Amino acid sequence: MSEGIFEGLRCTNGGPILSHLIYADDVVFLGRWSLENALNIRRILRCFFLASGLKVNLAKYSMFGVGINDEEIKFMADCMNCKKGSFPFKHLGLIVGANMNLIRNWKPVIDIFKSRLSIWKAKSLSYGGRFTLLKSVLNSLPTYFFSLYKAPAKVIDALERIRRTFFWKGSDDNSYMSWMAWEKVIAPIEYGGLGFGSLRNANLAMLSK
């Protein structure tokens, strides 16, 4: 990439050039839309195979174009012997290219919350057990999404409702008794709360970071 064989994307005027993102065995190539650029990627991957013996299966790859019409994307994908991709898509468990202001796109996070509670059969746990589970597991589940997207208020309310219901009764029964206001429960320990923390504040803090 540093030799100029593949032309990446410049982030800002005079800023660094972004050509690829790698996480474990997942790779995303980002570059200027041109046939020469695409073919050079194929040549680079061919050289990688010859040097390492690890062959890349292009049939599992997807080609995406931003601001490019579907016919041109299909043509480029055929030249690369890969699939034509479409937005939104999922990468490393995260939705890319979706409007995250829409509540329906947060459904995976809400579903994970609910599924984890059903796995643990929380109704049979004591308050101490529910407290530990909330602090160690459930509070960390939306972190991935919260670090990149601002959650709509209704999504935060839905997640807080799940946490509140889980802590006070541990099931989805219609009636239960809450012994303290939830705002007091999630407050820091030094202010008399249990230190669960507000999901809304966690979301804003992660985005600020």
Side-chain angles (χ1 to χ4, degrees):
M1 304 296 180
S2 60
E3 299 297 327
I5 299 174
F6 177 76
E7 186 177 350
L9 299 177
R10 188 173 296 278
C11 298
T12 59
N13 293 333
I17 296 177
L18 188 63
S19 59
H20 58 284
L21 301 172
I22 301 177
Y23 181 84
D25 59 348
D26 287 296
V27 182
V28 176
F29 293 105
L30 305 104
R32 182 176 61 84
W33 187 266
S34 72
L35 181 60
E36 181 184 3
N37 228 17
L39 294 178
N40 281 341
I41 279 290
R42 287 193 59 178
R43 297 180 182 113
I44 291 171
L45 294 177
R46 173 65 178 171
C47 292
F48 172 78
F49 165 62
L50 295 175
S52 65
L54 301 174
K55 188 172 184 179
V56 178
N57 186 359
L58 289 174
K60 292 183 178 181
Y61 275 53
S62 296
M63 173 77 69
F64 298 89
V66 178
I68 308 297
N69 61 63
D70 289 344
E71 291 76 14
E72 193 169 348
I73 297 174
K74 181 67 169 59
F75 169 76
M76 193 76 79
D78 291 341
C79 292
M80 290 286 290
N81 293 327
C82 65
K83 298 178 294 184
K84 171 187 169 296
S86 60
F87 293 99
F89 66 94
K90 186 175 287 188
H91 177 62
L92 301 177
L94 196 67
I95 300 175
V96 179
N99 182 358
M100 297 308 290
N101 291 322
L102 299 179
I103 297 173
R104 66 170 180 266
N105 290 327
W106 288 84
K107 189 175 183 296
V109 178
I110 298 175
D111 289 345
I112 289 175
F113 249 61
K114 292 180 178 179
S115 65
R116 289 296 173 89
L117 296 186
S118 63
I119 290 173
W120 283 93
K121 302 186 184 303
K123 192 174 182 179
S124 62
L125 296 175
S126 65
Y127 278 112
R130 297 175 202 170
F131 171 81
T132 301
L133 191 59
L134 273 172
K135 290 281 289 183
S136 63
V137 179
L138 297 183
N139 282 0
S140 64
L141 287 178
T143 300
Y144 195 23
F145 277 73
F146 279 2
S147 61
L148 292 171
Y149 302 120
K150 186 178 186 297
K154 288 188 177 181
V155 171
I156 295 291
D157 292 342
L159 296 177
E160 288 288 16
R161 190 182 313 113
I162 294 172
R163 289 205 305 171
R164 183 171 61 248
T165 301
F166 170 75
F167 181 69
W168 286 124
K169 62 178 181 175
S171 70
D172 292 328
D173 297 336
N174 292 327
S175 61
Y176 68 97
M177 172 91 54
S178 55
W179 298 96
M180 186 186 301
W182 186 245
E183 288 71 20
K184 183 73 172 177
V185 174
I186 65 178
I189 295 175
E190 54 267 29
Y191 291 103
L194 294 180
F196 288 153
S198 164
L199 293 179
R200 179 175 285 103
N201 291 344
N203 186 198
L204 293 177
M206 291 177 193
L207 291 175
S208 298
K209 182 180 180 182

